[in-house]
Amino acid sequence: MEAESKKEFWSWGKSLIVAVLVAFIVRQFLFTPVIVSGESMEPTYHNNNRVVISKISSLEHFDKIVFHAPNADEDFIKRVIGLPGDTVEMENDKLSINGKEYPEHYLDPNKDALLEGERLTQDFEFIVPEGQLFVMGDNRANSMDSRIFGSIQEDSVVGKVKFRFYPFNEIGNPK
């Protein structure tokens, strides 16, 4: 009887060790949860939203990413606007990348709140250096992004946002 107990204990122990090891590898190298801090990505994400990022995804224009902030000891979440070699231009609230205009429908709620004649984003032109990215928050009036600190190093990217967790209140209904 005692030998069977030891055998079962060892079996459970091995299973637990394997589970912890797999969870560590997945979180360290593939996916990890992140809590959004601040208002710079509103209306897309709000303070304390929970998202999961992929650490192995390739990046494209308009992807939402988490990266190590160049001017702070924290991670930021922003939208990739410019890739290496791109010329990013904003004129009269219209975004152009390499001379092609791109609509930013995700900004519509913020633009709707503007007074007549007011602009969401000031005009600028920026050429993204090789190995770097140009990022901006969706809440353009309240975002510390590449317009302030310049482009970021590609290797500062922690991961690409894949999905958001929707929190539940105490009775199990989505908030």
Side-chain angles (χ1 to χ4, degrees), residues 61-62 81-83 85-91 93-104 106 124-126:
H61 291 109
F62 309 108
I81 302 297
L83 298 171
D86 283 349
T87 299
V88 178
E89 185 176 4
M90 183 68 68
E91 188 173 345
D93 260 350
K94 294 188 184 343
L95 173 67
S96 295
I97 303 170
N98 300 324
K100 181 180 178 193
E101 191 174 307
Y102 288 88
E104 295 182 283
Y106 49 87
F124 67 86
E125 184 174 336
F126 190 89

Side-chain angles (χ1 to χ4, degrees), residues 122-139:
Q122 297 301 318
D123 293 350
F124 67 86
E125 184 174 336
F126 190 89
I127 299 172
V128 184
E130 288 303 317
Q132 300 193 14
L133 303 168
F134 188 89
V135 296
M136 288 198 294
D138 291 355
N139 186 357

Side-chain angles (χ1 to χ4, degrees), residues 15 24 36 40 43 70 92 127 141 148 151 153 165:
S15 296
F24 173 79
V36 175
S40 71
N92 295 323
I127 299 172
I148 296 168
S151 54
Q153 296 291 327
F165 287 111

Side-chain angles (χ1 to χ4, degrees), residues 46-175:
H46 299 277
N47 191 43
N48 291 325
N49 279 164
R50 289 166 171 76
V51 297
V52 172
I53 61 170
S54 166
K55 296 182 173 188
I56 58 173
S57 297
S58 60
L59 299 179
E60 298 177 15
H61 291 109
F62 309 108
D63 284 342
K64 291 152 312 257
I65 62 169
V66 173
F67 61 95
H68 303 302
N71 58 349
D73 290 332
E74 57 187 309
D75 291 342
F76 285 177
I77 181 171
K78 305 290 181 204
R79 191 177 295 270
V80 175
I81 302 297
L83 298 171
D86 283 349
T87 299
V88 178
E89 185 176 4
M90 183 68 68
E91 188 173 345
N92 295 323
D93 260 350
K94 294 188 184 343
L95 173 67
S96 295
I97 303 170
N98 300 324
K100 181 180 178 193
E101 191 174 307
Y102 288 88
E104 295 182 283
H105 298 296
Y106 49 87
L107 296 179
D108 288 347
N110 291 346
K111 286 184 177 182
D112 292 344
L114 295 174
L115 300 173
E116 190 171 329
E118 198 175 19
R119 287 190 277 162
L120 188 61
T121 312
Q122 297 301 318
D123 293 350
F124 67 86
E125 184 174 336
F126 190 89
I127 299 172
V128 184
E130 288 303 317
Q132 300 193 14
L133 303 168
F134 188 89
V135 296
M136 288 198 294
D138 291 355
N139 186 357
R140 301 284 167 81
N142 189 20
S143 177
M144 181 171 294
D145 53 37
S146 289
R147 295 170 298 158
I148 296 168
F149 52 68
S151 54
I152 64 165
Q153 296 291 327
E154 282 183 297
D155 61 10
S156 72
V157 175
V158 177
K160 176 178 168 178
V161 177
K162 286 306 211 179
F163 62 91
R164 169 185 9 204
F165 287 111
Y166 287 96
F168 289 84
N169 63 21
E170 53 280 346
I171 58 172
N173 296 322
K175 286 185 176 180

